[in-house]
Structure formats: C-alpha cells, structure tokens
Amino acid sequence: MNRTLVIIRALIWKELRVEWRQRETLASVCVFGVLVVLLFDFGFSMSGEASLRLLPGVLWIAFAFSGILSFNRSFAAERQNACLDGLRLAPVDPGLIYLAKLAANLIFLSVAEIVIVFVAAIWYNFSFLPALPWFSVIVFLGTLGYVAVGVTFAAIAANTRMREVMLPVLQFPVVLPIFLAAIEATSSALKGDPSSEFRSWVHLLAAFGIIFVVLSFLLFEYVLEE
Amino acid sequence: MTKNTSLTIHGIVTLAWLLVSLYLIFIFVPTDVNQGNVYRIMYIHVPSAWTAFVAYFILFLGSVRYLFKRSPAADELAWSAAEVGFVFCSCVLITGPLWAKPIWGIWWTWDPRLTLTFILWLLFVAYLLLRSFFVNPEQGAVLSAVVGVIGFVDVPVDYMAIRWWRTQHPQPVVFGGPNSYLPPSMKFTLFFTAGAFLCLFFYLLRHRLNYGRMRHELQQLRREAP
C-alpha cells in the first residue's frame, strides 16, 4: 500500500513537472475554454434571464472542449521520444499510471474550470457564491467521470491515424449521460433550488464517476500493451 | 452437414419467418383503436431495437472474451456484431421518426430515451470508425475491445432511462410494470416478429463472420506467398 502511494506520487509529480517545464497545456486549455465562452456570448448575446438559462450549458461545453484539448496533449507529449515506452518499461501496475494521468488531467482541467467560471461570472454578472458548495461538488463529480473516460480514450486514440478527430468521436457519445446529469444539476443548483431537487442527479454523477474510474483502472493494462 | 448447407437452410428459415411475420403484421393483427394503421410500424421498430441491444451485448461479450483469451475469432465476432448491429440500430432511428410524426406530430424530440438510442448508434459508429483507423491491426483489436467494454456501460443506462426520466416515449408495453398492457394477439405478433429479426440478425452475422474468416485466410496466404 505504501509503495503504491509512493509510485502514484512519483508519477503525478512527473506529470506536473513536465507540465511546469513546458507550461503549454494549461495555458492553451485555459485560453481555449475562455474563447468558447466568448463565442457563445457573441453567438447568443446573452444577458439577463437568458444568461441564467444558458449558462450551465455554456460552462459544460467549455469544460468539455477544454478537456478534449488537455487529454490529447497529455498523450501527444508521451509519444515524443518514445516516452510512453519508457513508462511501459517501469515496473509498476499500469493501473497506477492511469491513476496518475487521471489526477494530473483532473488538476489541469480543474484549474481551467476555475478560470472559465471566473471569467463567466464577470461577463454575465453572475455570482456563483450562494450556490458555490453544491456547484463545486457537481463540477468535481462531472469532471471526474469525464476525465476518467477521456484519459483512457486519449491513450487509445493516440494509436490511430486521426487521433485528434478520433478522441471526441469516441468520447462524446460515452460521456453524454454525464453531461445530461451535470447540466441538469448545475442549472438547478444555480437557480438556488434546495439540494433535494437535484440530489438524484448528483448521485448519478457520482455513480458514473466511480464506474468509469474503476473500469478504466482495470482496462488500462490492455491499453498500454504494445 | 457442411457449413454452406447450414447457412442456406438458415437463410431459407429466415425468409419464411419474415414472410409469416409480414402476414401477421399486415393482415392478422387488429388495428389499434387510438393510432390506426400507423402503429403497425411498431412491429419493425421494437424488434429492431431489441436486436440492436442484442448486437451490442454480443459486441461486449466478444470484446471481453478477446481481452481474456486473445482468440481472433472473438475479436471477429465483436466486429461483426458491431457492423450488423449498426444496421438494426439505424433501422430503429429511421422507423422511430416515421412513427412519431403522425402520432406525436414531430419527427424527433430530445427525449432521453431517443437521445440515448441515438447514443447507442453513435457508439456503433465510433467503434466502426475506430476499427478502420488503426495503424497496427493486432493492437487495434485490443483497443477496440476496451472501447467495446466501456461503451457497454452506457447500454443499461439506455434501457433504464425510460424509468429514470419523465419522458414522451411510451412506457414499455412488455415487461413494463403493472400499467402496461398489450392484447394477446399483438403481443404474439410482436414476439414472433422479434424472433424473425433475431433470426435475420444471426443470419447476417454468420455471413459477416464468413467474410472475416476469408479475409483472414487471404492475409495468411499473402504472407506465405514468396
């Protein structure tokens, strides 16, 4: 158990260090997410009542697009200089490599989400503060499920001819139920409904998150196979 | 009995079964009180949906078996089920709107059950696209199997969706709980047609498996050729 923790820490540390030295994934993901929000703003000229109705969808679409970018980058970097082969040679359980990738992408996407929400709060004059605790829980659980599938599929898509296109084609159908639940729960929470109104959606998100993490953890061994 | 004879017999049985089904659908079964003749499309729509689910289940079983046993036959089974299942799933999505337009007044609605059937269709498409984009076929088989397993998590959701969300789609008339009722003659026709569709599905599946086997042999011969 102790050894497992040491390995995971080392792997996460490696991901974060690589990111810190390049500083390109995080920056591009944040900028891209903000641009998506901007495009929606221009497309629908959102203001007043309409903005509250559209906001949850806009946020989740921005999260989704930023995530796709982050996952693709995560494995594109590993392909250079055969880094993935080096990782394969390490005497660790492939599941742990998955967990480290999951954690790193979760961190990157969370940072991007904070930036996106901050920008959205200013542009739409919307205060997230009253609903912040539940909003954070919903966003975290939704992101967890999304990243859990995304990391696995990015590793798979990295082996195909059209990786950048292949990832969203694989990813979106599988995570659509997560989006349904996340957007429903988010709009209910932001409207200020009592938590009993959207608790079942939160449970659904948690269930999806757990299922996808466990499944990917077990299957990652096959994904890394040469 | 040689393989070819058995396949021919299977084909003849399928044809006869389908012809009797046509008789049942258009002559034997009474017209619906509320919907009139339009409802007869149900005998195509519902069996196609069931068959699509069976196909996805076979895709899942083939994928799991391939991951554990590494038998090329299991991989070929998963691939074949995906191709044939795709046809039946498309059939559901075509007959659905044709039925919905006269009854609901709209071609399509983003009702959860419709949406999730569409997701099932997208999962078939993603799987088939993925298969055609792999550089290394052997690795492609493993990674497709992983996608087949993860995508399968969505299928029970698809089935349960009708119970989780309030929806425009009718409650299932069979196995749908105490309020669902279908007269015996309609129920008989539905199950009889479903049997015909399954028979057709397996007939097509066997043809597709034959094709896979021949392609495999051809590759082998090419490799052995000087």
Side-chain angles (χ1 to χ4, degrees):
Chain A
M1 192 64 215
N2 207 4
R3 194 180 113 83
T4 311
L5 284 179
V6 172
I7 291 170
I8 291 190
R9 205 172 52 197
L11 286 169
I12 295 177
W13 189 237
K14 167 225 145 213
E15 295 285 335
L16 295 180
R17 202 153 54 181
V18 168
E19 178 52 34
W20 180 248
R21 291 197 180 146
Q22 294 186 318
R23 278 184 289 266
E24 57 182 24
T25 306
L26 205 49
S28 57
V29 168
C30 290
V31 170
F32 186 71
V34 170
L35 281 176
V36 171
V37 179
L38 180 76
L39 281 181
F40 268 100
D41 195 33
F42 276 40
F44 296 106
S45 56
M46 290 154 58
S47 61
E49 279 291 296
S51 73
L52 182 56
R53 208 163 48 75
L54 293 175
L55 194 59
V58 171
L59 287 178
W60 277 101
I61 290 171
F63 296 167
F65 286 1
S66 314
I68 288 286
L69 212 61
S70 158
F71 310 148
N72 260 331
R73 281 293 318 155
S74 180
F75 281 91
E78 296 286 2
R79 258 199 331 275
Q80 286 168 13
N81 304 326
C83 289
L84 202 56
D85 292 330
L87 215 52
R88 274 195 200 107
L89 287 175
V92 296
D93 184 352
L96 299 183
I97 297 177
Y98 168 74
L99 289 183
K101 279 272 178 207
L102 175 76
N105 275 289
L106 205 55
I107 292 170
F108 298 155
L109 194 52
S110 302
V111 173
E113 283 170 350
I114 290 169
V115 173
I116 292 167
V117 167
F118 183 73
V119 170
I122 292 174
W123 281 349
Y124 300 117
N125 292 310
F126 185 82
S127 170
F128 287 88
L129 285 178
L132 197 60
W134 274 110
F135 179 68
S136 316
V137 170
I138 293 163
V139 169
F140 173 76
L141 288 176
T143 310
L144 179 70
Y146 186 66
V147 176
V149 182
V151 169
T152 313
F153 282 178
I156 290 173
N159 292 297
T160 61
R161 265 182 287 136
M162 303 189 23
R163 23 193 121 74
E164 281 79 14
V165 187
M166 208 56 234
L167 179 57
V169 169
L170 280 179
Q171 166 99 347
F172 286 149
V174 172
V175 297
L176 224 93
I178 293 180
F179 274 94
L180 256 171
I183 290 176
E184 290 288 332
T186 308
S187 49
S188 184
L190 290 184
K191 246 188 286 169
D193 291 345
S195 65
S196 55
E197 290 274 306
F198 54 86
R199 189 159 291 162
S200 56
W201 293 115
V202 176
H203 289 169
L204 193 63
L205 283 176
F208 267 123
I210 292 166
I211 289 172
F212 282 138
V213 169
V214 171
L215 206 59
S216 302
F217 175 78
L218 296 174
L219 290 172
F220 209 66
E221 177 191 343
Y222 302 109
V223 174
L224 280 189
E225 240 171 55
E226 186 62 59
Chain B
M1 191 161 51
T2 63
K3 215 157 218 158
N4 266 337
T5 338
S6 126
L7 198 59
T8 314
I9 293 173
H10 192 161
I12 293 168
V13 170
T14 308
L15 184 65
W17 203 336
L18 281 172
L19 287 176
V20 177
S21 299
L22 278 182
Y23 167 79
L24 288 179
I25 294 172
F26 287 106
I27 297 166
F28 167 74
V29 92
T31 307
D32 187 78
V33 189
N34 299 319
Q35 302 192 6
N37 274 323
V38 180
Y39 100 102
R40 288 177 203 271
I41 204 170
M42 173 179 88
Y43 301 111
I44 309 285
H45 181 71
V46 176
S48 299
W50 289 349
T51 311
F53 280 109
V54 169
Y56 205 85
F57 191 60
I58 292 175
L59 163 60
F60 168 71
L61 289 182
S63 300
V64 171
R65 197 178 151 75
Y66 182 74
L67 286 181
F68 283 113
K69 301 270 176 186
R70 293 305 155 100
S71 75
D75 175 54
E76 202 62 53
L77 179 68
W79 192 349
S80 310
E83 272 185 19
V84 183
F86 168 75
V87 175
F88 281 93
C89 201
S90 305
C91 188
V92 181
L93 289 180
I94 292 167
T95 52
L98 288 180
W99 189 11
K101 181 68 180 167
I103 302 302
W104 296 341
I106 39 173
W107 295 108
W108 180 266
T109 168
W110 288 105
D111 157 280
R113 193 129 203 265
L114 275 69
T115 314
L116 284 161
T117 308
F118 184 56
I119 295 174
L120 185 71
W121 186 79
L122 285 176
L123 287 173
F124 278 126
V125 172
Y127 180 89
L128 293 175
L129 271 180
L130 184 71
R131 295 237 57 152
S132 58
F133 281 142
F134 277 116
V135 188
N136 170 357
E138 197 131 321
Q139 195 188 26
V142 179
L143 296 178
S144 308
V146 171
V147 171
V149 172
I150 292 181
F152 184 73
V153 177
D154 270 23
V155 177
V157 181
D158 197 340
Y159 187 71
M160 291 313 287
I162 196 167
R163 290 167 175 84
W164 286 352
W165 281 287
R166 246 174 283 130
T167 114
Q168 176 152 26
H169 194 282
Q171 288 295 312
V173 281
V174 237
F175 315 125
N179 288 329
S180 63
Y181 173 73
L182 203 62
S185 64
M186 290 185 179
K187 200 180 249 180
F188 171 74
T189 308
L190 186 60
F191 280 120
F192 190 88
T193 324
F197 269 66
L198 271 181
C199 194
L200 174 66
F201 168 75
F202 283 110
Y203 178 65
L204 294 173
L205 188 70
R206 286 179 69 184
H207 263 297
R208 175 61 183 75
L209 283 171
N210 264 354
Y211 162 74
R213 213 170 294 128
M214 282 193 278
R215 198 187 41 197
H216 207 71
E217 257 170 53
L218 187 65
Q219 273 171 354
Q220 209 106 39
L221 288 173
R222 278 220 181 104
R223 230 174 281 147
E224 283 165 13

